[in-house]
Amino acid sequence: MTVRVGIIGAGSIGTTHAHNLAGAVAGSTVSAIYDVDDDNAATLATALECRVAPSLDDLIVDDHVDAVVIASPDGLHPGHALACLAASKPTLCEKPLAPQLADAQRVLDAEVATGERLITMGFMRRFDPGYVALKDAVGSGEIGSPLMVHNVHRNAFFAYELTTAGTVTNAAIHEIDINRWLLDDEYVRVQVIMGRTTSGVPEGQRDPLFILFETEGGVVVDIETFMTARYGYEVTCQVVASNGVCDMGDGGYITRTTEGVRGQAIPPQWLGRFNDSYRIEMQAWIDSIRGRTGPVGASLWDGYAATHAAAAAVESLGSERWVDIDLPERPGLYA
Ligand code: ISE
């Protein structure tokens, strides 16, 4: 069986997913594209020799679309996810599930009501060879019990004109998810500390942010987000444990030594760092739809839990004080 996928959103990440599904992933093709911008949709559809859907609803209910990828702007994810659930189509929804908690709740309730796990969240870092190796090393117990995790998330410039809250719900959301997964633990409180803001950010914006979480198990997780770091894209993760320290690899860039300098190239943007993760994620998702595996990757519950923690961090932006996180009980569907 070849899974025919419809793509909502022909921007940068929609285009990456579409090319992977059409060319790099086994067992899938792209059958239709929808984008509010007709030209974007037409360019991608021409490159992949597939059709442009006349509307979002057409794409979702199309008999030639077996599964859907949601790669629209963040605020549209919940509405698009609800439409895919109503059509009972397996869906990969880009992160975040929703910038607002109430919207995430609506989608969670809708999936629970179907009694089926149809939505997979696009937290691709769970497939990144660096994070997978880190989780294996931590899980093996060789460095003892985790005590602290230090995360760095730097972009060269604000993508999509992010706001300060958007830095949390769009960017730090990756660390919020990956640390839950890495530690198999939930957050109980969060505090955002802002300090001095770099020059050159729009009036009223704050950058960098320092986000501090504490987990149920007592682990301290800190996340530096610096969205206008200028020099390039960089993501690091270090786990400090009772018997040692583990640092994540960075995707295997070569270290070059030449006349008086030793160093590595720095990718300008996340696609340079996480390209493989997106492809591996898509292959796993397609294999799961083809019935080769059970559900893979982050569930809708994981998407909800991340938005829940992000909402508390956004609340802390106002006061820079600790905000408690009281995650509701996980529904049985996600046991
Ligand atoms: C972007 O939306 C992504 O998802 C990237 O992975 C992340 O690193 C970047 O900061 C976000 O803005």
Side-chain angles (χ1 to χ4, degrees):
M1 167 207 180
T2 297
V3 181
R4 299 163 303 175
V5 182
I7 311 275
I8 302 174
S12 133
I13 194 61
T15 299
T16 300
H17 288 322
H19 279 284
N20 277 336
L21 289 162
V25 165
S28 61
T29 82
V30 175
S31 51
I33 314 276
Y34 173 75
D35 194 290
V36 277
D37 181 325
D38 295 340
D39 291 342
N40 271 357
T43 306
L44 185 55
T46 306
L48 300 179
E49 298 179 356
C50 68
R51 72 186 198 91
V52 172
S55 72
L56 183 85
D57 292 338
D58 276 294
L59 178 131
I60 292 174
V61 301
D62 188 334
D63 285 341
H64 298 96
V65 169
D66 305 313
V68 180
V69 169
I70 299 174
S72 46
D74 295 4
L76 302 180
H77 293 175
H80 293 169
L82 287 171
C84 293
L85 285 173
S88 291
K89 300 246 164 132
T91 299
L92 186 133
C93 178
E94 259 308 323
K95 41 58 59 177
L97 172 56
Q100 307 290 338
L101 184 56
D103 293 328
Q105 184 74 56
R106 261 191 289 282
V107 187
L108 181 72
D109 293 345
E111 185 173 75
V112 168
T114 69
E116 232 188 317
R117 283 180 54 173
L118 286 164
I119 297 189
T120 301
M121 289 305 305
F123 283 121
M124 82 301 179
R125 290 190 187 180
R126 292 181 179 218
F127 297 92
D128 177 65
Y131 276 110
V132 169
L134 183 64
K135 184 168 169 66
D136 286 350
V138 171
S140 74
E142 64 188 299
I143 57 164
S145 322
L147 304 170
M148 289 182 281
V149 189
H150 305 304
N151 299 269
V152 167
H153 184 155
R154 299 192 188 125
N155 280 0
F157 53 85
F158 270 121
Y160 342 104
E161 297 171 4
L162 280 186
T163 59
T164 310
T167 298
V168 176
T169 61
N170 175 277
I173 198 92
H174 279 296
E175 278 77 17
I176 293 176
D177 176 66
I178 211 71
N179 283 273
R180 281 182 73 237
W181 171 81
L182 199 58
L183 299 168
D184 196 14
D185 204 349
E186 298 294 357
Y187 305 112
V188 290
R189 57 180 191 150
V190 61
Q191 179 177 25
V192 183
I193 298 164
M194 290 185 271
R196 190 167 170 196
T197 287
T198 185
S199 59
V201 296
E203 179 79 26
Q205 299 272 31
R206 307 296 296 262
D207 186 51
L209 305 180
F210 189 77
I211 309 172
L212 202 53
F213 283 99
E214 197 180 311
T215 71
E216 238 165 60
V219 180
V220 171
V221 172
D222 64 73
I223 308 169
E224 172 204 310
T225 57
F226 188 12
M227 297 291 104
T228 57
R230 300 189 182 180
Y231 70 86
Y233 183 79
E234 186 166 34
V235 163
T236 67
C237 183
Q238 181 184 65
V239 180
V240 178
S242 53
N243 210 20
V245 173
C246 265
D247 277 286
M248 178 182 65
D250 64 359
Y253 292 96
I254 292 167
T255 302
R256 288 188 190 79
T257 304
T258 175
E259 254 192 287
V261 201
R262 174 171 297 156
Q264 293 180 336
I266 302 169
Q269 205 237 28
W270 55 90
L271 288 176
R273 166 64 181 85
F274 287 112
N275 237 334
D276 286 348
S277 323
Y278 286 115
R279 183 181 40 75
I280 299 168
E281 168 191 51
M282 275 300 160
Q283 185 67 68
W285 180 58
I286 290 297
D287 288 348
S288 78
I289 297 171
R290 295 170 87 202
R292 302 190 168 195
T293 63
V296 291
S299 66
L300 185 64
W301 167 253
D302 295 315
Y304 173 85
T307 293
H308 191 278
V314 169
E315 190 184 329
S316 176
L317 282 176
S319 61
E320 298 192 48
R321 289 183 192 279
W322 285 107
V323 174
D324 288 336
I325 301 176
D326 191 9
L327 186 65
E329 206 174 312
R330 183 190 294 247
L333 183 60
Y334 308 99

